[in-house]
Each structure stands twice: as structure tokens, then as C-alpha cells.
Amino acid sequence: MEEVLTLPFLLIWIISGILPGSAQSCGRPPAAENRIVGGVDATPGEWPWQVDIQSSNGHICGGSIIAQDWVLSAAHCFPNPSDLGSLTIYVGRHQLNGWNAHESSHRVRQIVIADGYTEPHSGRDVALVQLSTPVTWSDYVHPVCLPASGTLFPSGMPCYVTGWGNIRNDVPLSGVGTLQEVEVPILSQSSCQEMYSLNPKEQIDILYDMICAGYQEGGKDSCQGDSGGPLVCQMVNGTWVQAGVVSFGLGCAHENQPGVYSRMTSYSSFIRSTLPEVQLYGRGNHIWGGSLLVLLGCLTTLLTILYR
């Protein structure tokens, strides 16, 4: 009888061990309480997926943790993706120029650029960066969720962009360089295109794989040095999902020139082809939910047979 009792508990242990998120769930900052132009200092641990990408010359871009050894960033941050030796990625970092108790540094194993990328204005501005050593999950190091292709980020949805970029055109973040955050609303494709069409000096086409966020009047925006960083939105269940990657703009926080981001829902296939194990928010969660119901159904049937 002792062996029979052990089997159901073993099955429960196996099921609980393979639940996604049993190791680490995405988009839920453990330490968070419930400059970027026009931004404010972020709280330590508030954006635990944010990374600092540095070359031998210092800070170049931001990025976001999407798996224990993968970071999401922008393709234009890596003009020579085979030059890995000069790159270091810092996770758990809060101050760019200060002391960070929770940070660790990682070298880069490989960089995967989205097929077809040439320059930011032409789209495809996405890169996946594999770390040489995995990060250690903590309250200050945590992955962001990525959206399935059908996830919606409607116009007017309040989202946040974070980074250590310039606080104005050609004005770097000063002092210890605390991570900056700013709230910006999602803009519709048509309104963003209309705003950029008002600029007679340079024609910008807002392509299908781009998403815009910001204000028509300007004043709040990402800027140089924020490239590659995340634009994240909080869904109705409280989960933070990355809607975009900082790609480009004309200047910073100018009127009728909102920030343009690589639209993550356009890259679910690219991400899944590189990281087959990644769970995408939305459709992926629904698929898992169905699988879990099947597993629980099998367990119930087995228990019924064993204890008749």
C-alpha cells in the first residue's frame, strides 16, 4: 500500500516541476512596489529585466532579459555582430555610474540579427543576444514577458520605456546615472504616420513591424543611448509584456516625432525559431492551460483507479 500511495504524489511533484514559471515566471517584478527625456528615477528592482549593454567605450544600448541566457535588443546596436569580444552585458544594474549591489556581468556568446535588417528606418531592427553564462534569478534580475502574435496594444494604452540614455539631445544622464523611466501612450499606426508626414525634411514610413509611443506635443520620449531597451505595457492581469524595442526617432521628444519601436508581435516566429522553449504571453499561455487540464484530467483518472 505504501508504494501505491507514493505514485500519485510523485505525479503531482512531476507536474508541479514542469509548470512554466515554476523556475521563473515572466513579467512580474518581485521587488517592485504595486532619463529618458521627461522621465524620473526608477525604483531599484522596478524593471528587473533591464540590462546595460557596454562596449570597450562604455554604454551603448539597453536590452531586456527574456530567458536565463538570452537578451532582446535592437539590431542597430550591433553594427558588427561578429565582434563579440568588446561587449559586456550587465544585469541587475540600477546606476550606470554608481555601485550596484545586485548586478552581475556577462560576456556574449552570439548575436542573432533578424533577417532582412539593413538600418532602423527600414524595419527589422531586432537582435537576440545569447550570454556566455546564465543569469541568476533574484528580486532584481527577472525576465519580461514577450507577446504572442495576436496580443493587442491598443492606441492610448499607457506603457513605460526605460533606459540610461540622454535626457535631451546630446545631453547625457549625469551623476550616478540612475535608471530612468517614462510613461508614454501607444499611438495608432495611422496617427503616427500622419505626425511624421508633417516633417517636410525627411520622409519616414511607419512599417507593419513598427509601433509608436509618445505624445504629439513631445516632451517625453526615449533618446540616444536608450536604443534596444524595452517598451513594456501592463496587461489586465498585472503582467508586464514587452510591446516594443527602442529603435529610432527624429531627435528626442520633439513635437510630431514620437518614438518608434520594433513591434514585438511581428517577431514571435523569429524569437520562437531561436528560442523554441520561450513561452509567449497570450496564445502560448492558453495552449499551456489546455495541456495542464489534460494532465490534471489524467491524474484524476489515475487516482480514481487506484482508490476504487
Side-chain angles (χ1 to χ4, degrees), residues 9 14 38 53 67-68 86 88 137 170-171 188 192 200 240 242 254 276:
F9 289 109
I14 291 172
I53 302 176
Q68 205 158 19
S86 64
T88 304
W137 300 133
D170 301 319
V171 179
S188 69
C192 186
W240 289 95
Q242 185 164 344
H254 292 171

Side-chain angles (χ1 to χ4, degrees), residues 141-158:
V141 179
H142 193 88
V144 69
C145 287
L146 297 179
S149 58
T151 305
L152 298 178
F153 300 97
S155 176
M157 185 177 190

Side-chain angles (χ1 to χ4, degrees), residues 36 61-62 73-77 120 125 161-163 221-231 242 244-249 259-262 264:
I36 299 281
C61 279
S73 189
H76 77 262
C77 293
D125 191 12
V161 60
T162 51
D221 196 7
S222 52
C223 201
Q224 290 85 12
D226 294 320
S227 290
L231 172 71
Q242 185 164 344
V245 168
V246 178
S247 182
F248 71 91
V260 183
Y261 303 78
S262 299
M264 294 321 302

Side-chain angles (χ1 to χ4, degrees), residues 123-269:
R124 310 296 294 169
D125 191 12
V126 170
L128 294 172
V129 183
Q130 187 176 26
L131 308 180
S132 294
T133 52
V135 303
T136 300
W137 300 133
S138 72
D139 286 353
Y140 301 89
V141 179
H142 193 88
V144 69
C145 287
L146 297 179
S149 58
T151 305
L152 298 178
F153 300 97
S155 176
M157 185 177 190
C159 301
Y160 278 85
V161 60
T162 51
W164 290 281
N166 291 353
I167 56 173
R168 290 189 301 279
N169 279 339
D170 301 319
V171 179
L173 192 59
S174 61
V176 294
T178 301
L179 179 66
Q180 299 290 288
E181 63 180 45
V182 67
E183 183 177 359
V184 286
I186 297 293
L187 298 171
S188 69
Q189 203 91 348
S190 58
S191 63
C192 186
Q193 182 64 74
E194 185 177 344
M195 289 180 209
Y196 271 101
S197 297
L198 296 174
N199 180 5
K201 296 181 180 179
E202 187 169 358
Q203 178 59 43
I204 298 295
D205 293 322
I206 304 303
L207 305 178
Y208 76 95
D209 68 334
M210 299 174 182
I211 187 170
C212 300
Y215 299 89
Q216 184 169 11
E217 66 272 21
K220 296 183 178 182
D221 196 7
S222 52
C223 201
Q224 290 85 12
D226 294 320
S227 290
L231 172 71
V232 296
C233 309
Q234 192 170 32
M235 312 307 276
V236 292
N237 68 351
T239 300
W240 289 95
V241 177
Q242 185 164 344
V245 168
V246 178
S247 182
F248 71 91
L250 296 181
C252 304
H254 292 171
E255 184 181 4
N256 291 315
Q257 295 176 9
V260 183
Y261 303 78
S262 299
R263 182 186 294 270
M264 294 321 302
T265 52
S266 298
Y267 292 95
S268 54
S269 295

